[in-house]
Amino acid sequence: DARVTQTPRDKVTEMGQEVTMRCQPILGHNTVFWYRQTMMQGLELLAYFRNRAPLDDSGMPKDRFSAEMPDATLATLKIQPSEPRDSAVYFCASGLGTGVADTQYFGPGTRLTVL
Amino acid sequence: LAKTTQPISMDSYEGQEVNITCSHNNIATNDYITWYQQFPSQGPRFIIQGYKTKVTNEVASLFIPADRKSSTLSLPRVSLSDTAVYYCLVGDRDSSYKLIFGSGTRLLVRP
């Protein structure tokens, strides 16, 4: 049963520290999404890639967030420096298609707490 | 930019049919409308997807009118395990890459 995996599952860090979250998409999927979810804002799309190229990163604070796909099996989301307001659950999802609203398969998420 | 509107919450009882409507103007004309279900501490999970008219699978039906300005997720005979948050997802008409998630409808199924 193919699944999206995310590491770490939980991360507690102090303000100002760098945080790197990793995602392994389902093998063969060509689209990878990064989301952030909080109680106040709900589910927000940060960025997504298709065939490793960024298609939309307008939801991501550019000054401190960066997203990359070093290869087809790994996507990373980095926050530097982290701030308490970045505390949230970060989800990665992957899909296979050419449309925007094609089916996405979500990972279990990384719960980030910035103190 | 496309905008979606869903009811914040809905209550139901076991065995009833539940219909959740998402209004979405300015959506992409050539892309799917997709619905997801999310349980606490889990990522959203795909339920159903459609382009127009009616789609049915083993868990739900999706009704989409001809103008595609709304879609209705129908859950037949809900059970306690259907208590979750339900999201609609659409693409934006003016940007081929913009993706819009609804704010979610919290469904509570009571015994």
Side-chain angles (χ1 to χ4, degrees):
Chain A
D1 187 19
R3 298 185 184 191
V4 175
T5 58
Q6 291 185 246
T7 56
R9 292 294 308 276
D10 281 280
K11 175 74 175 179
V12 180
T13 190
E14 293 189 345
M15 183 174 62
Q17 297 297 306
E18 178 179 297
V19 175
T20 299
M21 290 168 271
R22 293 176 174 80
C23 168
Q24 184 172 6
I26 293 173
L27 190 64
H29 281 189
N30 65 344
T31 311
V32 174
F33 304 83
W34 282 106
Y35 292 91
R36 176 170 64 184
Q37 187 170 42
T38 62
M39 289 293 291
M40 294 299 294
Q41 298 294 329
L43 200 59
E44 302 174 273
L45 177 66
L46 297 175
Y48 77 99
F49 296 75
R50 178 155 290 150
N51 298 320
R52 296 177 58 199
L55 283 193
D56 183 20
D57 62 0
S58 59
M60 201 165 65
K62 303 290 192 305
D63 56 338
R64 299 183 300 107
F65 285 60
S66 62
E68 295 180 348
M69 280 201 74
D71 61 60
T73 64
L74 176 65
T76 62
L77 179 66
K78 189 175 296 186
I79 307 174
Q80 167 63 23
S82 59
E83 297 180 2
R85 59 180 168 151
D86 300 330
S87 297
V89 180
Y90 290 81
F91 289 105
C92 173
S94 72
L96 179 63
T98 57
V100 172
D102 288 334
T103 305
Q104 298 178 35
Y105 298 84
F106 282 76
T110 293
R111 182 175 299 276
L112 174 65
T113 303
V114 183
L115 303 175
Chain B
L1 199 65
K3 182 177 168 59
T4 61
T5 303
Q6 300 180 234
I8 294 174
S9 63
M10 295 181 71
D11 276 20
S12 182
Y13 291 92
E14 282 189 292
Q16 289 189 331
E17 178 184 79
V18 171
N19 295 308
I20 305 174
T21 296
C22 178
S23 299
H24 31 70
N25 62 354
N26 216 41
I27 70 167
T29 55
N30 59 348
D31 213 339
Y32 289 110
I33 296 164
T34 310
W35 282 79
Y36 290 83
Q37 174 191 55
Q38 187 178 25
F39 297 113
S41 302
Q42 295 184 25
R45 185 180 70 157
F46 170 85
I47 303 175
I48 196 166
Q49 181 179 74
Y51 180 71
K52 58 182 179 181
T53 62
K54 178 184 174 182
V55 178
T56 297
N57 63 19
E58 62 277 8
V59 298
S61 294
L62 181 60
F63 298 91
I64 303 171
D67 65 7
R68 291 178 26 102
K69 290 187 177 180
S70 66
S71 58
T72 299
L73 173 71
S74 181
L75 304 171
R77 298 179 299 281
V78 294
S79 63
L80 298 178
S81 62
D82 293 317
T83 293
V85 180
Y86 293 84
Y87 296 91
C88 61
L89 173 65
V90 299
D92 181 64
R93 186 179 70 187
D94 297 328
S95 167
S96 56
Y97 304 127
K98 254 320 180 230
L99 191 152
I100 311 293
F101 249 105
S103 53
T105 297
R106 189 173 300 273
L107 173 65
L108 174 62
V109 180
R110 302 178 188 273

